[in-house]
Amino acid sequence: MEQVVQPEVALKQHTIWQNGQTPEPCAVVIFGATGDLTQRKLLPTLAHMMHDHPLPQSFCIVAFARRPMTDEQWRAMALDSVNKFMAPGDKLDEKAQKAFAQNLFYCQSDFNDREGYQKLADLLERLDEEKGTRGNRLFYLATPPTTDSEIIHQLGGAGLARQQHNNGDEESWTRIIIEKPFGRDLVSAQKLNRELARVFRENQTYRIDHYMGKETVQNLLALRFANGIFEPLWNQKYIDHVQIVVAESLGIGTRAEYYEESGAIRDMVQNHIMQVLCLTAMEPPVAFDADAIRDEKVKVMRAIPALSQEQVASNTVRARYTAGVVDGESVPAYKEEKGVAPNSTTETYVALKLFIENWRWADVPFYIRTGKRLPARSTEVTIQFKRVPHQLYKPSETKGLVPNRLTIRIQPDEGITLKFGAKIPGAARQLESVDMDFSYAKAFGIISPEAYERLLADAMIGDSTLFIRRDEVEASWRIVDSIINGWKSMPADSVHTYPAGTWGPKEAEELIERDGREWDTP
Ligand code: BG6
């Protein structure tokens, strides 16, 4: 089958600023600066942005963290991470490393120390004068969720949340980015939202979900709302069911402490998967702007009823990996990972069936599955269409035919495949399913931006379209809470097991096979 792609070309650098807009000078203040996210993602991303895209000259990164360190030590640590975690093709030469490092500053303090925030306020004022950051601040909470409230409260107390005035003429801005997990249930998310609202206005608040920064996730909107051919079919008349699969071959790494408390449902379903589901299922927004898009996402979640205890028992499966082989390497069981309690009941795998009770999606099941230590890393949305109302061909002629499927590959090998039936050439009437394939890399020849880069750039220019609004986060917890509460009343052995390196427990296969369907395994 001919592929709908352009000839291969060398990959070009992407743009990150919308309509050529560049941000105003600013200071990015990172809380939790010595943590995993900062080292692996934020610093390499900021270094790449500084080097490859026009960032303002007056741009500083201030680390606010507990560990005693000088500016020089922090610079050396940051450069280490940049060198280690930046994509191989992006590495900075010595001159660029020096230029990056001279914009880094360190403020040592405990998160609950009032004086530390005063010290931070003084440092930021000094940088406004010396570096020209003009009173613009972007606070980034890359901290464990337990510290969020304290930091927000202290920022407010030190007067750091105010949008100040600069020399009486130009208004400066202050924004705050908060990492997931946002709360650990509906009640704690509501509490955090209230605490935030006491200090920051909603339009200063950027709740981040890095899946929204992925090009392929944003392309769900383009695919649906910029093409005449899909939208008329995008409903319960033509769609049999939808699958959202987020598979990871990685385990929990060094994050046992976090993961034990979170499990797959809080780590992946409440945020990333719910966002992908919303973009797949929402109505066309009235405009391409932050509120219009987020209004439609919230409506999707409101149309998903909380699951009853019976529905949790029949429509959800949770499981934990046992020892196995992934990518040719033996890996230990979850319970043997360092930092995991021997009697842990945390799930590393979830499969679910949900319904969106609205006009468009009545009776269309959405099957979701996500897990760690599966055979491959693959995130896909599959739209499976209904079969033709009357089959002209004999069963023996259509043995090789599967229903029409549109598979949206979020990662890796980003692209879209449409499966349809075709006749095998020759006198015999034999049909087979074939693929029509689109690949981002081949079609555009552009390197997709790293999700964090897109989102940091948007926060700097004040565009919150790809960030999560207060009501969204609460709507999602309402659904997820009902599942977690259902699990609480179930026996511990209802957490099934699967060997690492397999696609999950047999119960997850049964969940979908009971309905006469099967998982679309990559
Ligand atoms: C994070 C989760 O939010 O997303 C991790 O905490 C997970 O457990 C990661 O591995 C997956 O992100 P990506 O971009 O690699 O799919």
Side-chain angles (χ1 to χ4, degrees):
M1 187 64 219
E2 201 187 353
Q3 299 208 329
V4 191
V5 293
Q6 308 287 325
E8 273 197 50
V9 285
L11 296 188
K12 292 186 295 244
Q13 195 54 257
H14 53 265
T15 51
I16 60 167
W17 305 111
Q18 300 177 28
N19 310 319
Q21 213 178 346
T22 48
E24 291 161 17
C26 68
V28 177
V29 182
I30 305 178
F31 292 84
T34 54
D36 204 54
L37 177 71
T38 307
Q39 304 297 316
R40 282 175 182 276
K41 292 281 182 202
L42 301 182
L43 289 170
T45 302
L46 286 163
H48 179 251
M49 286 168 82
M50 268 195 196
H51 189 242
D52 287 282
H53 304 285
L55 270 177
Q57 280 296 315
S58 318
F59 179 80
C60 299
I61 301 168
V62 177
F64 187 96
R66 291 176 269 222
R67 215 184 288 181
M69 227 189 284
T70 61
D71 281 348
E72 284 315 318
Q73 286 167 324
W74 157 239
R75 287 172 185 165
M77 181 180 182
L79 280 182
D80 248 19
S81 308
V82 166
N83 287 328
K84 199 149 132 209
F85 297 117
M86 219 164 161
D90 289 343
K91 297 283 184 212
L92 303 183
D93 61 23
E94 217 169 299
K95 189 161 155 241
Q97 290 190 26
K98 235 173 157 181
F100 175 65
Q102 73 188 21
N103 294 306
L104 302 180
F105 300 87
Y106 196 78
C107 184
Q108 189 272 323
S109 172
D110 278 338
F111 292 144
N112 59 1
D113 179 3
R114 262 178 66 185
E115 279 176 25
Y117 291 80
Q118 202 43 60
K119 209 161 63 176
L120 175 65
D122 295 343
L123 171 62
L124 291 173
E125 265 180 43
R126 177 161 72 78
L127 294 176
D128 286 343
E129 277 179 25
E130 288 175 9
K131 295 274 184 181
T133 40
R134 291 212 224 137
N136 296 326
R137 288 112 172 67
L138 180 60
F139 295 114
Y140 198 123
L141 268 55
T143 36
T146 44
T147 56
D148 288 348
S149 300
E150 180 66 27
I151 297 171
I152 292 161
H153 171 73
Q154 294 284 357
L155 284 171
L160 279 164
R162 278 201 305 269
Q163 314 254 25
Q164 306 142 334
H165 286 270
N166 194 39
N167 303 328
D169 46 7
E170 230 175 315
E171 196 174 338
S172 56
W173 51 259
T174 302
R175 299 179 190 131
I176 183 165
I177 300 183
I178 307 190
E179 259 299 332
K180 68 166 266 274
F182 193 91
R184 69 181 319 273
D185 53 20
L186 177 58
V187 171
S188 57
Q190 285 171 326
K191 180 165 171 281
L192 186 53
N193 273 332
R194 280 196 301 274
E195 285 162 353
L196 256 170
R198 265 184 231 125
V199 179
F200 293 92
R201 289 195 299 245
E202 180 64 22
N203 67 4
Q204 292 178 277
T205 306
Y206 291 67
R207 295 173 195 81
I208 198 167
D209 181 317
H210 79 276
Y211 266 54
M212 289 298 288
K214 292 181 191 276
E215 279 293 323
T216 42
V217 171
Q218 292 161 41
N219 197 43
L220 281 165
L221 295 185
L223 176 81
R224 294 190 51 202
F225 302 131
N227 292 295
I229 57 168
F230 298 117
E231 204 45 29
L233 306 180
W234 213 265
N235 57 55
Q236 58 99 29
K237 263 200 201 137
Y238 300 101
I239 293 180
D240 175 73
H241 75 276
V242 176
Q243 295 186 22
I244 301 177
V245 175
V246 182
E248 294 186 279
S249 51
L250 288 178
I252 54 158
T254 53
R255 299 159 75 220
E257 197 187 334
Y258 155 76
Y259 201 84
E260 272 283 87
E261 284 297 307
S262 137
I265 188 117
R266 291 188 173 93
D267 188 45
M268 300 297 286
V269 179
Q270 189 274 335
N271 32 72
H272 307 325
I273 289 180
M274 218 41 110
Q275 289 299 316
V276 172
L277 180 140
C278 285
L279 296 182
T280 306
M282 72 191 223
E283 295 302 314
V286 292
F288 207 102
D289 67 38
D291 274 328
I293 290 178
R294 297 186 295 180
D295 286 347
E296 296 307 333
K297 287 200 285 169
V298 173
K299 282 194 217 159
V300 173
M301 289 189 276
R302 292 210 176 124
I304 302 177
L307 278 74
S308 65
Q309 178 70 56
E310 293 71 45
Q311 285 168 328
V312 172
S314 60
N315 294 357
T316 76
V317 171
R318 56 182 170 151
R320 181 179 55 240
Y321 61 82
T322 53
V325 178
V326 180
D327 291 335
E329 269 185 42
S330 300
V331 297
Y334 177 71
K335 280 199 183 183
E336 286 153 22
E337 302 271 15
K338 199 160 162 254
V340 172
N343 57 352
S344 170
T345 55
T346 301
E347 78 288 348
T348 59
Y349 180 101
V350 179
L352 300 173
K353 177 165 75 165
L354 292 177
F355 287 94
I356 302 173
E357 295 193 354
N358 65 14
W359 200 274
R360 184 189 286 264
W361 294 114
D363 300 326
V364 178
F366 280 67
Y367 297 97
I368 289 168
R369 65 171 171 167
T370 182
K372 299 239 180 246
R373 289 290 190 220
L374 301 189
R377 174 174 184 253
S378 165
T379 299
E380 289 186 354
V381 178
T382 302
I383 312 291
Q384 180 157 321
F385 293 91
K386 292 187 173 166
R387 288 184 186 268
V388 289
H390 169 70
Q391 187 53 274
L392 197 58
Y393 296 89
K394 295 191 197 115
S396 61
E397 295 166 345
T398 57
K399 270 198 243 132
L401 209 55
V402 297
N404 293 132
R405 266 184 193 162
L406 185 71
T407 302
I408 302 161
R409 294 189 304 280
I410 306 283
Q411 64 188 22
D413 183 24
E414 291 79 358
I416 298 173
T417 301
L418 178 64
K419 226 177 225 328
F420 62 96
K423 181 178 170 300
I424 302 174
R429 237 184 352 243
Q430 275 299 331
L431 304 192
E432 202 171 274
S433 285
V434 291
D435 289 350
M436 191 159 24
D437 206 13
F438 152 74
S439 143
Y440 277 82
K442 286 186 192 154
F444 295 115
I446 293 178
I447 306 167
S448 284
E450 158 71 33
Y452 276 97
E453 184 174 289
R454 162 86 276 130
L455 295 171
L456 277 163
D458 283 1
M460 283 179 200
I461 58 169
D463 183 346
S464 55
T465 310
L466 300 177
F467 292 83
I468 316 303
R469 206 168 57 186
R470 178 177 181 157
D471 49 351
E472 272 185 82
V473 101
E474 294 182 7
S476 169
W477 273 122
R478 187 186 49 80
I479 302 160
V480 166
D481 266 11
S482 70
I483 297 171
I484 296 174
N485 288 338
W487 286 348
K488 277 185 194 149
S489 358
M490 289 163 70
D493 66 4
S494 62
V495 185
H496 304 287
T497 55
Y498 60 101
T502 66
W503 283 104
K506 67 173 187 339
E507 288 76 6
E509 301 297 330
E510 287 161 12
L511 172 80
I512 192 163
E513 283 168 8
R514 269 203 309 265
D515 298 343
R517 302 181 173 105
E518 58 184 33
W519 293 110
D520 181 19
T521 299

